[in-house]
Amino acid sequence: MSKNKKIALALAGGGVAGIEFEIGALMAMWDLGMTVENLDFITGISAGSILAALIANGVTPHEINESLHGRADEYNFPFRTLYKLNYEGFGRRLMKVTPRVNGIVKRAVNDGLSRFKRRNKKNLLKHAIGSTLDSVLDLGSAGIDIVNALTVPPFNMSGLEKYFRERLNQPTGLDDRVVSDSFDELKTDLVITATDANNKCRVLMGPQRLECKMQRANADYFVSKDVYLLDVPISRAIAASSSIPGLYGLTDVQGRKLFDGEVYDTANVDLAITLANADLVMVVNPLKPRIGGNIEQWGLVDQLQQSLRMMIEMPVKKYLKYLKIHGKHLPAPWNKHRDIILIEPEDCEEDPVMFHYFLMRSKEKAVKLGYGRVMEDVDRRRDYHARMADECGVDLDMSAVDAWKKK
């Protein structure tokens, strides 16, 4: 079957549950006949960067699923690597923090003494009460400053980086395939993104062959200039893209201090357009706000997660809506007609499996949710998917949908 259109895959973040949902969605794609051989471009953010790197290396989602659930040894990912304590960060902070804490305490004490010396002797009681309250507030403010000075993110990504550096530099044992920690050695173009904490910009890490396209994109399409870094190991890029602010320390990449790529963008749909000029973009976004239920019964963590999910989901929805309405009026390549398929949990999904980033006890259920969402969409729009598959050179296997419906 001839291939007339380019296909891009964009994987968003979502923690442990998000990885499992995306694995399920990818397993469904593979069962339907869409494999890495059909993909021209892959991009991943945060947790999605882990799967993007493995898929681009030719590891199938079924193999990843078997390994993650302990049924195979190749990529038996130990989730404890996500919780490596940030000893280095604690050490550096302690060396620098003593003068700062001393200054905070000294300033609070001096301010209190200064107010006491300026007291009104005719109203000693009133002044004593006011001075005491001011001192308490000063000490409280100083306490906040001290806590901020002493605290650092509790974990770092060194364990995750080491794991993938070792795994991506050795034969897999899977049909004699050899995986690589280098973007330039991959057959399928892979781009992983992170956020520059100091310069408020998106940092792209990928193969050298895409650099010229990135330069043209910066010149023509972007309001804020993106940065494209070369010669970054894939393992290092994964660590940078997955460094959740506040929970993980910043990752240093070529002198830039980077954290989670999803702070800047949800799914990198624009990169599939500017760098790959894709005709079909498949976006997997596991971070979906819950709809319905009694929010008053939710705890603090649930409410914070709900607000974060809304902030992450809305930009991609608005972006896709804008392209649909105004795309034809934009300059090339934006004005080109393209199909974008968004795969995400259902609107009314109340199951907490997809609501907690690091929930590990129901991983199999999250995989089934992702698998089912793809199969449901293909079953509902059979004619559309059959047409797209034919235009993209994919031999769509509808028997996989029928087999799923019988389960």
Side-chain angles (χ1 to χ4, degrees):
M1 185 178 292
S2 61
K3 180 176 179 179
N4 301 320
K5 293 189 174 184
K6 292 184 177 180
I7 306 174
L9 174 66
L11 301 175
V16 174
I19 288 178
E20 302 293 344
F21 180 87
E22 291 180 335
I23 287 175
L26 293 172
M27 287 171 61
M29 293 181 194
W30 259 242
D31 287 348
L32 289 165
M34 174 78 71
T35 66
V36 69
E37 285 77 16
N38 303 113
L39 300 175
D40 299 279
F41 179 81
I42 304 174
T43 181
I45 302 178
S46 193
S49 68
I50 295 174
L51 293 182
L54 293 175
I55 293 298
N57 265 292
V59 184
T60 72
H62 295 78
E63 292 165 345
I64 299 172
N65 184 57
E66 291 296 303
S67 295
L68 287 181
H69 295 117
R71 296 188 290 267
D73 297 328
E74 291 302 328
Y75 291 94
N76 191 7
F77 180 69
F79 285 100
R80 64 179 179 275
T81 61
L82 294 173
Y83 305 107
K84 187 172 179 60
L85 290 176
N86 189 15
Y87 295 115
E88 184 179 354
F90 283 121
R92 287 198 305 266
R93 182 61 62 90
L94 287 174
M95 292 176 64
K96 296 179 180 180
V97 78
T98 302
R100 185 178 174 186
V101 172
N102 288 340
I104 291 171
V105 175
K106 185 177 180 180
R107 185 170 63 251
V109 172
N110 288 338
D111 289 345
L113 290 175
S114 178
R115 277 195 299 271
F116 180 77
K117 291 177 181 178
R118 295 195 306 268
R119 69 189 184 282
N120 187 341
K121 296 181 179 180
K122 294 182 180 180
N123 298 294
L124 287 177
L125 179 61
K126 180 179 178 180
H127 179 80
I129 295 173
S131 181
T132 301
L133 290 175
D134 288 341
S135 298
V136 170
L137 291 175
D138 283 344
L139 289 174
S141 177
I144 294 174
D145 289 340
I146 291 171
V147 170
N148 188 52
L150 287 172
T151 54
V152 296
F155 307 108
N156 63 38
M157 280 294 173
S158 60
L160 183 70
E161 180 183 357
K162 179 182 178 182
Y163 172 83
F164 278 101
R165 184 172 62 248
E166 293 174 349
R167 294 301 187 278
L168 297 179
N169 281 294
Q170 64 182 18
T172 64
L174 303 171
D175 303 326
D176 297 324
R177 283 172 286 170
V178 178
V179 294
S180 175
D181 199 22
S182 170
F183 287 97
D184 293 303
E185 294 180 3
L186 301 181
K187 294 180 179 180
T188 303
D189 288 337
L190 169 67
V191 171
I192 293 174
T193 65
T195 304
D196 190 319
N198 288 328
N199 298 301
K200 299 184 295 183
C201 65
R202 179 172 55 175
V203 175
L204 283 63
M205 294 159 281
Q208 187 170 5
R209 56 183 174 271
L210 292 182
E211 184 185 18
C212 59
K213 292 184 179 181
M214 189 68 247
Q215 291 174 352
R216 289 198 299 269
N218 265 337
D220 297 335
Y221 313 122
F222 292 100
V223 176
S224 60
K225 303 301 183 182
D226 292 336
V227 175
Y228 196 89
L229 299 182
L230 300 174
D231 302 320
V232 179
I234 294 175
S235 55
R236 190 72 168 169
I238 291 173
S241 184
S242 305
S243 299
I244 302 173
L247 188 60
Y248 295 95
L250 299 172
T251 300
D252 187 292
V253 180
Q254 298 181 7
R256 292 179 176 271
K257 304 299 182 181
L258 308 182
F259 55 41
D260 201 303
E262 208 152 27
V263 171
Y264 188 96
D265 199 337
T266 302
N268 290 337
V269 177
D270 61 318
L271 299 184
I273 297 173
T274 56
L275 298 185
N277 196 18
D279 300 277
L280 172 62
V281 183
M282 295 180 294
V283 184
V284 186
N285 175 38
L287 288 182
K288 189 80 176 288
R290 290 167 65 177
I291 296 179
N294 187 358
I295 193 171
E296 294 180 353
Q297 296 180 358
W298 294 1
L300 174 63
V301 175
D302 287 342
Q303 293 187 33
L304 289 174
Q305 288 201 76
Q306 177 76 345
S307 62
L308 179 61
R309 285 170 178 269
M310 293 176 69
M311 288 188 290
I312 288 176
E313 186 206 28
M314 291 311 296
V316 70
K317 288 293 184 66
K318 290 181 178 179
Y319 182 76
L320 296 180
K321 184 177 180 180
Y322 181 84
L323 279 183
K324 183 177 181 179
I325 297 174
H326 303 287
K328 61 183 179 181
H329 303 297
L330 298 175
W334 298 92
N335 57 2
K336 174 183 175 181
H337 173 75
R338 55 179 46 85
D339 291 88
I340 300 177
I341 299 175
L342 179 61
I343 303 164
E344 56 186 3
E346 296 181 73
D347 277 339
C348 297
E349 182 59 65
E350 287 290 339
D351 195 314
V353 168
M354 289 311 304
F355 198 62
H356 295 286
Y357 299 118
F358 299 104
L359 189 67
M360 299 183 188
R361 62 179 179 271
S362 301
K363 294 185 291 185
E364 292 277 12
K365 192 168 184 179
V367 172
K368 291 180 180 179
L369 285 173
Y371 193 95
R373 289 299 290 158
V374 173
M375 290 300 183
E376 287 170 6
D377 187 66
V378 174
D379 186 44
R380 187 177 69 254
R381 302 189 294 168
R382 284 184 176 241
D383 292 340
Y384 167 78
H385 285 284
R387 175 176 60 83
M388 288 303 303
D390 184 64
E391 294 176 355
C392 295
V394 177
D395 187 10
L396 192 63
D397 184 8
M398 284 297 185
S399 64
V401 180
D402 299 328
W404 168 78
K405 291 175 68 175
K406 291 178 181 178
K407 292 182 178 180

